[in-house]
Amino acid sequence: MPSTAVPLRHALRPDFTASLAVFLVALPLCVGVAVASGVPAELGLVTGIVGGLVTGLLPGSSLQVSGPAAGLTVLVFEAVQEYGLTALGAIVLATGVVQLLLGALRLGRVFRTISVSVVEGMLGGIGLVLIAGQLYAMADSKAPAGGLEKIAGLPGFLVGLARSSQALTTFALGAVSIVVMVVWQRVPAKLRTIPGALVAVALTTGTAAVLDLPARTVEVTGLVAAVQPPDAEAFGAVAGALGTVLAFTLIASAESLFSAAAVDRLHDGPRTEYDKELMAQGAGNAVCGLLGALPMTAVIVRSAANVQAGAKTKMSRVLHGVWLLLFAALLPAALGVIPIAALAGVLVYSGWKLLPLGHLGSMWREHRGEAVILLVTAVAIVSVSMFEGVLIGLALAVVKTAWETSHIHTVVDHGGTGPIKVQPTGNATFLRLPKMLDTLEALPVGRPIELDLSGLHHLDHACATALTDWAERHNAESGEPVSVTSPPSAGLSLTGGRRRRGAHARPHPRREPTGASRRR
């Protein structure tokens, strides 16, 4: 395949302008995700900086952009609440090491085999919890701990909101952020070069300052003070947080590689090398862990903005990391005037975008099983936890696949007064064994039976044993023979041994049914 690399001199200008666009998209999201995760706002910027300067320089996907993601907000918040902020860095570092190992073992493509329904259900569950939690933050209120508690507490929260003028005022700021982001999607394309999230935050911040509204603002600790490398005690906590590490790894890797596949469809440049991209994500998370920052993933919103802004090479994402670094170093005080309600509104909108509402209806009509997996995964995440919810979704997807691949259809031809011809087709596994036995046991006694297994793609041991037992019982009761034609694939027969294609075989080499005949 010919190289599609762009010469540096031709990429400099478009990459420079694209990096500014991505920076403007990333800035409010980095801060908002950090605040919603319960960590200092500067740590969100640190993760964005690492995503640009470390992951951005490494091979893998040339145009997708990494940083803190709304999809991990809920899980990070739970980890900080359970293990403490100092342990977060160790957990993120362990996640990066696992990703590096998986990439080195060339398992990057394995994550692309994860059921899309599970991933969408995972994001949908995260979106629901994120929306519910940030609605409280829009009113400067403390949200309940669990996902179900957040949702169940919303009616009472709304009643209390109506009774408090101060809470209603700050909630209105967040609502303005949401409205601005929705309306911004409909303004002329030239104006949309300025990200809607940045416009929403700037407008609500300015409104709160001019009207002197009593809204809680982002706490600024300083970039150096916010960076807290994990200590020995933090690494000791990792042993009890293995489930969190696995959840971070699964979600961050799957979201990054799914994002890479989506970004590849947006441009004609070099395609993603998935194993290298997984290692790049792992290297970025390892550095984030050493700095005590948030975990990172590739983020489709920033990546799409990068492509749409005309980026040609990875230089654009590296430069966006430079701009984030300069902002964090030179203008940290600017964070201190941003109302938390404004950022909460941005994240409510981001959570809404995570919900797969656009195609859930068509999925329900055309692929109902996949829709059920999506819904069960989302509900499990909301009601139990992130890790258990994903495991439940994966288990359900495996069960569904096993059930579908074990499909079997049995045709019975009574053929007048001659032998009854029975031909099952598909995959004969223990999952469909009851159905197959019901058909066989309903056959009349006293007539010979020809059992043609040549249409089977697979015959497992349970079915072979059951067919043997049925043939013996049938012969004992009727005295008429059961003749068997082996499956055409070598090695697929009732005996489990290798037989000629189309050859006739008795059901078991050591237990020949009484009166059985073998067709020559």
Side-chain angles (χ1 to χ4, degrees), residues 317-332:
R317 58 187 191 177
V318 175
L319 285 175
H320 117 276
V322 173
W323 310 142
L324 286 174
L325 176 60
L326 291 175
F327 178 88
L330 302 178
L331 298 171

Side-chain angles (χ1 to χ4, degrees), residues 61-410:
S61 175
S62 60
L63 296 182
Q64 79 168 351
V65 184
S66 300
L72 285 172
T73 301
V74 176
L75 191 57
V76 173
F77 181 84
E78 293 175 352
V80 171
Q81 294 298 308
E82 185 171 355
Y83 304 107
L85 180 58
T86 56
L88 178 64
I91 294 172
V92 175
L93 174 59
T95 299
V97 171
V98 174
Q99 288 181 306
L100 284 168
L101 179 61
L102 293 175
L105 294 175
R106 304 182 65 82
L107 296 177
R109 291 185 176 274
V110 171
F111 284 91
R112 298 187 68 205
T113 65
I114 297 174
S115 169
V116 175
S117 299
V118 174
V119 176
E120 291 186 340
M122 173 186 72
L123 295 177
I126 292 170
L128 288 172
V129 178
L130 185 60
I131 291 170
Q134 293 307 302
L135 286 175
Y136 292 91
M138 284 170 59
D140 286 345
S141 300
K142 183 177 177 58
L148 277 181
E149 290 80 1
K150 287 183 175 69
I151 294 174
L154 286 177
F157 161 74
L158 294 175
V159 171
L161 181 64
R163 296 174 178 172
S164 171
S165 59
Q166 181 174 339
L168 199 58
T169 299
T170 56
F171 189 85
L173 281 176
V176 168
S177 289
I178 298 173
V179 171
V180 169
M181 294 189 69
V182 172
V183 172
W184 203 252
Q185 300 301 312
R186 295 170 173 80
V187 302
K190 290 184 178 180
L191 287 178
R192 289 202 304 272
T193 56
I194 304 174
L198 185 66
V199 174
V201 171
L203 181 61
T204 51
T205 300
T207 301
V210 170
L211 300 179
D212 195 24
L213 299 179
R216 191 162 60 97
T217 57
V218 174
E219 295 182 8
V220 178
T221 60
L223 187 62
V224 176
V227 173
Q228 298 181 11
D231 53 19
E233 184 178 352
F235 284 110
V238 173
L242 291 180
T244 301
V245 172
L246 292 176
F248 274 12
T249 302
L250 174 62
I251 296 169
S253 302
E255 188 169 348
S256 295
L257 298 182
F258 272 104
S259 172
V263 172
D264 279 352
R265 292 193 291 269
L266 298 178
H267 67 89
D268 298 324
R271 303 293 91 182
T272 297
E273 298 179 71
Y274 290 95
D275 296 320
K276 291 182 179 179
E277 177 62 20
L278 184 57
M279 294 188 72
Q281 295 293 325
N285 274 317
V287 174
C288 286
L290 291 174
L291 297 174
L294 293 170
M296 75 165 59
T297 73
V299 186
I300 187 60
V301 174
R302 296 169 214 178
S303 303
N306 189 39
V307 175
Q308 291 164 3
K312 301 299 181 182
T313 71
K314 65 178 63 176
M315 186 195 309
S316 62
R317 58 187 191 177
V318 175
L319 285 175
H320 117 276
V322 173
W323 310 142
L324 286 174
L325 176 60
L326 291 175
F327 178 88
L330 302 178
L331 298 171
L335 299 177
V337 300
I338 300 175
I340 289 178
L343 296 174
V346 170
L347 289 176
V348 167
Y349 182 79
S350 298
W352 179 262
K353 300 289 283 185
L354 290 176
L355 302 181
L357 300 176
H359 61 278
L360 184 57
S362 60
M363 181 182 289
W364 180 262
R365 292 189 298 270
E366 300 169 9
H367 306 284
R368 187 156 298 182
E370 295 296 323
V372 169
I373 293 173
L374 188 157
L375 293 172
V376 169
T377 303
V379 170
I381 286 173
V382 171
S383 57
V384 186
S385 73
M386 176 72 64
F387 185 56
E388 285 83 353
V390 171
L391 289 182
I392 290 171
L394 289 173
L396 189 59
V398 170
V399 170
K400 173 184 173 291
T401 301
W403 182 259
E404 289 182 344
T405 56
S406 65
H407 174 75
I408 188 170
H409 178 65
T410 305

